[in-house]
Amino acid sequence: MVHDSPDRAAPARKARRSPKSDVPQDDLTLDTGDVDPETSVADEDDEARLPDAPEDAVEAIAEGPLAVGHAAIENAVRLAPTSPGVYRMLNTANDVLYVGKAKNVKKRLSSYARANAPLPARILRMIAATTHVEIISTMTETEALLLEANLIKQLRPRFNVQLRDDKSFPYILITGDHWAPQILKHRGAQSRPGRYFGPFANAGAVNRTITALQRAFLIRSCTDGFFESRSRPCLLYQIKRCAGPCTREIDFPGYSELVREATEFLSGRSHAVKELLAAEMEKASGELEFETAALYRDRLAALSAIQSQQGINPRTVEEADVFAIHQEGGYSCVEVFFFRTGQNWGNRAYFPRAEKTFTPEEVLSSFLAQFYDDKSPPKLILLSHEIEESALLADALSVKAGYKVEVSVPKRGEKKELVGHALTNAREALGRKLADTATQTRLLESMVTTLGLPHTPRRIEVYDNSHIQGTNAVGAMIVAGPDGFMKNQYRKFNIKSEGLTPGDDYAMMREVLERRFKRLLKPAEGDAAKAKADDDSFPQWPDLVIIDGGRGQLNAVRDIFQNLGLTQVSLMAVAKGPDRDAGRETLFMPDREAIKLEPRDPVLYFIQRLRDEAHRFVIGSHRKLRKKDIREAGLQEIPGIGPSRKRALLHHFGTLKEIERASIADLGKVPGVSAESARKIFEFFHAQPG
């Protein structure tokens, strides 16, 4: 979908970063940083993980609790309205078990209150756990549907279908607040003036498209601050990915024409744009201007590359989202394809959490309402299965969007082919995930016998520290489970202890672990620290903690655990082999001899992956923190660099980022910077953290 931002004048400003972080920032973290920017794109492209394994056995329900649940619902029925509304079923701890909507709330609750009604085991378990019911009345059933979706996403009741890994989608923005518009990837509120094109399925699709658009239309991607500071064209101009408006290599009318062509292409008029470029190429060739003709040829090739990357492009569908669901092994996969301006803008697989008793139609219906809770729907939504409330959903989305939205299951033609293609992708995506999960499960089970663990670990936490001579010290925790790395559980810890000896790894690890586990121990009154008996979500308590180090680090961490009273968590340290060779690591566990596994042992390879992921994450966090300090303190932090040399460096390179990228030879060319100063500057930016 193409959006125009509010048409208002605004001063030139730097491109905004997305307000949404990939790593939740809680009280463990001091800053509002993000995941390592070098890996954030790859992380976003990963498919969502499978939900926790569905329950195989149906819990036995005593007559007493079921009777109590029926009584609580009967009490609510007496006070329930006969109008539309939303109801919430809660247990003794006030946890929301289920959120539902109804055109007639009284009638719907009455169906749960009948003692002998033939209800599924899932519903009976829900009734048995219910102690009271809360009701919210709405004006219409459409409002009830929208409110239900909002509450499910907010409260995550265990008996509802839950949409997981619900990230915001990226857009392409061509800015409108500068005389030379910029093209960039955008997430979040669409408040900056300009044209928005999307949504795209993932950041990788946006980045590939922007790169190809730069080759085709030569539109700048630099920030406004970088643009204003240029005195000569940057490298993108040299490699023909920018027209160089910053130094007036192209005039205003010429650049405006490039922006117009790019906008036309993204708006769906790609055929007209390609015909125009082809005509210009033929004209230049006829006039023997072969360099100009070659430029048009390269631009045409870039446009062809965009469309080839997009895979199938529909002929008759201008704007639509396609949803297909496949169920297997007790799991559900919903594949979503996005078509805008007649082009395929990518697809994404979702694995909503739902008990296996839910039918595909029930899962898809609940999924759709939650999916569009915070997104603008297209004018057409195509489904693989008929859902019971398709008309109600279409009305609700139409009210939300402000234009008519159609929800349908195509029976023939190209639309049916698009749904069939999505269904094939859903089947394959779920098959891959089931295979990956089975492999991961076997590895976790192998750790029990290889390492002598008391039981198969469901949650593994790995800790590492990073610093340079004690400065910008940061600790990090990565988490893995049956579905692989749980990146939404990662945490970073800015070391803040006063009087900490620079480089004291033991003290840094002590601070990180105490902050992590004291937070878990806070609510531990009586039996509160243990997982609830009916809670099958991913656990917050680790079964195994892994640290990077040898016997000394292990003993230090064991002392910390003893002081905190932690006895249920297994502990292991991984020491690098001679010359830091992978495959020759030594594993240390409390009160046991050191363990050395064969280099090709799958368990050892798995442990290496865990350690390397922790190292990657903590290095990225450290570098980001260090760059932030450099930006705030300026170049004076570098020994021997005062105000005069700082001005000379900034005048020569334009920005701090360009200074950081420069080689020693380039730094030495700056007036007033000697060879020794150039070396110090280079080493300052490229020093390896410990």
Side-chain angles (χ1 to χ4, degrees), residues 280-513:
E280 292 291 338
M281 180 180 68
E282 293 294 335
K283 178 182 176 183
S285 178
E287 295 174 356
L288 304 182
E289 296 179 1
F290 297 115
E291 290 186 4
T292 304
L295 179 61
Y296 284 118
R297 177 202 63 198
D298 294 341
R299 293 177 62 189
L300 279 168
L303 294 183
S304 298
I306 296 175
Q307 294 179 319
S308 65
Q309 290 168 359
Q310 291 169 342
I312 57 169
N313 290 309
R315 300 178 299 278
T316 60
V317 178
E318 181 73 12
E319 176 183 307
D321 285 348
V322 180
F323 294 83
I325 183 170
H326 177 70
Q327 289 186 330
E328 183 180 341
Y331 294 99
S332 302
C333 174
V334 179
E335 189 80 27
V336 188
F337 274 79
F338 304 94
F339 296 97
R340 298 294 186 274
T341 66
Q343 302 174 41
N344 176 10
W345 280 358
N347 59 294
R348 181 183 291 184
Y350 289 88
F351 303 93
R353 183 175 180 226
E355 290 198 18
K356 60 184 179 181
T357 55
F358 280 103
T359 65
E361 293 78 9
E362 290 174 327
V363 174
L364 188 58
S365 178
S366 183
F367 177 91
L368 287 167
Q370 296 176 58
F371 184 83
Y372 288 115
D373 178 59
D374 56 356
K375 300 177 184 67
S376 297
K379 295 179 180 179
L380 176 62
I381 297 173
L382 302 177
L383 307 180
S384 62
H385 292 66
E386 291 278 3
I387 60 175
E388 184 178 350
E389 298 176 331
S390 59
L392 177 62
L393 179 65
D395 290 342
L397 295 180
S398 299
V399 170
K400 179 183 176 66
Y403 48 80
K404 182 174 177 56
V405 175
E406 179 186 354
V407 179
S408 68
V409 178
K411 303 299 183 183
R412 63 182 68 84
E414 186 183 42
K415 293 177 181 178
K416 182 172 177 59
E417 292 176 5
L418 294 176
V419 171
H421 182 69
L423 192 57
T424 299
N425 278 266
R427 187 180 302 110
E428 293 175 352
L430 183 55
R432 288 193 301 270
K433 277 298 177 183
L434 289 172
D436 292 345
T437 303
T439 302
Q440 188 82 0
T441 302
R442 285 196 297 270
L443 282 171
L444 293 174
E445 291 171 350
S446 298
M447 293 183 75
V448 176
T449 55
T450 303
L451 304 177
L453 300 178
H455 55 81
T456 302
R458 288 190 61 206
R459 180 186 179 105
I460 301 174
E461 294 182 357
V462 189
Y463 294 85
D464 200 359
N465 298 324
S466 181
H467 61 92
I468 292 180
Q469 297 178 347
T471 62
N472 301 118
V474 63
M477 172 189 80
I478 67 107
V479 182
D483 294 306
F485 292 118
M486 320 296 290
K487 295 186 178 180
N488 63 336
Q489 303 276 332
Y490 287 14
R491 297 292 184 270
K492 58 183 176 183
F493 308 77
N494 292 337
I495 305 300
K496 58 184 180 181
S497 296
E498 302 239 347
L500 186 71
T501 303
D504 189 345
D505 288 329
Y506 290 0
M508 286 189 284
M509 184 61 70
R510 182 180 301 109
E511 177 182 337
V512 169
L513 292 172

Side-chain angles (χ1 to χ4, degrees), residues 1-18:
M1 189 174 294
V2 181
H3 302 281
D4 284 305
S5 68
D7 186 13
R8 61 177 185 272
R13 57 184 177 233
K14 292 184 179 180
R16 297 179 179 175
R17 293 188 60 188
S18 165

